[in-house]
Amino acid sequence: MNGTGAAADGSGGESSESSALRDTASRPFDAFRSGWETEIGDGFPLPTFSPATTRDLRVKSRATKVGDVAVTDLHGASAIRTEGPLNGVEDQVRMYVVQRGSWTLGARLARGEQTVRAGQFLIRHIGRPLHFETVPDTKAKVLVLPAALLTPLLGPRQSITGPADCAEVRLLAAHSNMIYETVAGLGPAGVQAAHSTLIELAKAVARRRVDDAEPQLASALARAAKDLADSHLADPELSGTMLARELNVSVRNLQRSFAATGEPVTAFIRRRRLEEARLALSAPSGRLSVSELAAYWHFADSSHFIRAFKKRYGRTPTEYARSTVPPEI
């Protein structure tokens, strides 16, 4: 959290250079605390951290606030632990999505302790302050959400757990990442829309289903599908149908979400594969042949690949590769 990000409320979003993930150069904990208080402000106070944590805080993070919702992405090289007395009432719903390491809520061996491990999420009502602890090299996304809107969906145990790669969490993560990128330029209406979509997607996680026909969710759906496609570009099965299946939405509504971006699903996949092929042609050594690239990126044949490449970049793959060869000295 030493590089907190942007803050937004009903009057619009404000951002600072610290919105990018970064390390503090000196006095890490003081810088982290100052950044948090500046960017997140009232309503989301920091707990008391253990002396070991404050002495050796090695953390990258970004954070943003949108009304009564706060989002933080954290990657801690060092362990983080809170301690000391806990007082007051919090009455918040928090969601933890852990990609690496683990995040434990509650004091060690205490009743009600919960550990969220890599590849899991936990959404839980927090009525009173809780200690927490992470192991070194923990990477997680944490959302603080209004209790009144979400607690009724959590059931008698007041918590829900599940896989971090489920469709609903993918959509929520994609939307929160878009907020980081856009919040500085949002006006009041944009901030309200960003907030409403966060709440609706958090509700979808709690319900374990998303209303993919909701127009408000179109941008999050397109972003999540693009993120998923990028991780499967070399997969011969990659298609709009596959993406819709993985995100648990209809193909029709996935196509509608892409239409709003001005680029159909198939066009996006082709463009990204051509971009990766272009990068491969720029490699200083170990380049694949044109026919090998065409096969690897699942073009019908070399001729099809060459035509598509030239249409996009104005040169054939061979011409492009020659243009990137450094001149002999």
Side-chain angles (χ1 to χ4, degrees):
M1 301 180 194
N2 57 328
T4 53
D9 55 28
S11 61
E14 296 182 0
S15 181
S16 75
E17 64 180 3
S18 61
S19 59
L21 290 171
R22 62 183 176 86
D23 290 308
T24 49
S26 62
R27 302 183 67 187
F29 183 75
D30 289 343
F32 157 71
R33 180 171 53 195
S34 176
W36 181 271
E37 291 172 352
T38 299
E39 305 291 351
I40 300 300
D42 296 336
F44 304 96
L46 284 174
T48 301
F49 292 95
S50 69
T53 298
T54 58
R55 280 195 306 268
D56 183 33
L57 185 74
R58 289 173 288 123
V59 170
K60 295 179 181 180
S61 76
R62 59 181 179 178
T64 187
K65 182 177 72 170
V66 186
D68 57 359
V69 177
V71 185
T72 300
D73 282 80
L74 175 146
H75 184 187
S78 58
I80 303 172
R81 184 162 63 88
T82 61
E83 62 179 33
L86 295 171
N87 301 306
V89 175
E90 291 198 332
D91 195 27
Q92 296 170 335
V93 167
R94 293 186 194 160
M95 182 174 177
Y96 304 83
V97 183
V98 179
Q99 294 97 39
R100 190 184 304 166
S102 66
W103 193 299
T104 298
L105 294 172
R108 293 178 183 176
L109 305 179
R111 182 180 178 184
E113 176 189 295
Q114 279 186 287
T115 296
V116 193
R117 304 193 185 281
Q120 295 181 321
F121 80 84
L122 166 69
I123 182 167
R124 170 174 169 170
H125 177 245
I126 308 292
R128 301 181 63 183
L130 285 175
H131 284 302
F132 72 85
E133 181 174 0
T134 70
V135 299
D137 199 27
T138 291
K139 185 176 182 181
K141 182 186 291 288
V142 182
L143 293 91
V144 181
L145 302 151
L149 298 175
L150 290 160
T151 302
L153 303 177
L154 298 182
R157 298 187 65 181
Q158 293 293 278
S159 69
I160 294 173
T161 61
D165 63 351
C166 70
E168 297 80 13
V169 174
R170 285 182 184 272
L171 290 169
L172 181 60
H175 181 63
S176 68
N177 291 338
M178 282 193 295
I179 290 176
Y180 285 129
E181 298 166 6
T182 62
V183 68
L186 295 178
V191 170
Q192 182 58 47
H195 176 271
S196 297
T197 303
L198 272 174
I199 297 298
E200 287 306 308
L201 288 169
K203 289 180 177 179
V205 174
R207 295 186 185 115
R208 303 177 189 266
R209 60 180 175 80
V210 64
D211 180 5
D212 62 325
E214 169 56 56
Q216 187 170 267
L217 305 186
S219 60
L221 177 53
R223 174 62 179 264
K226 288 178 179 180
D227 291 345
L228 185 58
D230 272 338
S231 66
H232 288 79
L233 285 175
D235 187 341
E237 301 300 319
L238 178 60
S239 64
T241 300
M242 189 206 87
L243 294 173
R245 181 177 67 248
E246 290 295 316
L247 293 171
N248 197 26
V249 299
S250 71
V251 173
R252 181 180 182 183
N253 286 327
L254 179 70
Q255 291 170 337
R256 283 179 176 174
S257 73
F258 269 82
T261 72
E263 184 178 41
V265 181
T266 53
F268 172 80
I269 293 172
R270 174 181 287 193
R271 174 172 64 81
R272 287 292 296 116
R273 283 174 166 170
L274 285 171
E275 288 171 354
E276 293 299 319
R278 180 180 63 83
L279 291 175
L281 288 166
S282 304
S285 62
R287 294 178 179 175
L288 298 177
S289 68
V290 170
S291 60
E292 288 171 332
L293 282 171
Y296 185 83
W297 294 113
H298 308 295
F299 287 84
D301 51 43
S302 296
S303 298
H304 185 203
F305 171 60
I306 292 168
R307 287 195 302 271
F309 192 96
K310 186 173 183 179
K311 182 177 180 180
R312 179 155 188 83
Y313 296 111
R315 287 176 283 184
T316 67
T318 300
E319 291 168 341
Y320 182 86
R322 287 174 181 163
S323 72
T324 63
V325 176
E328 294 185 4
I329 299 177

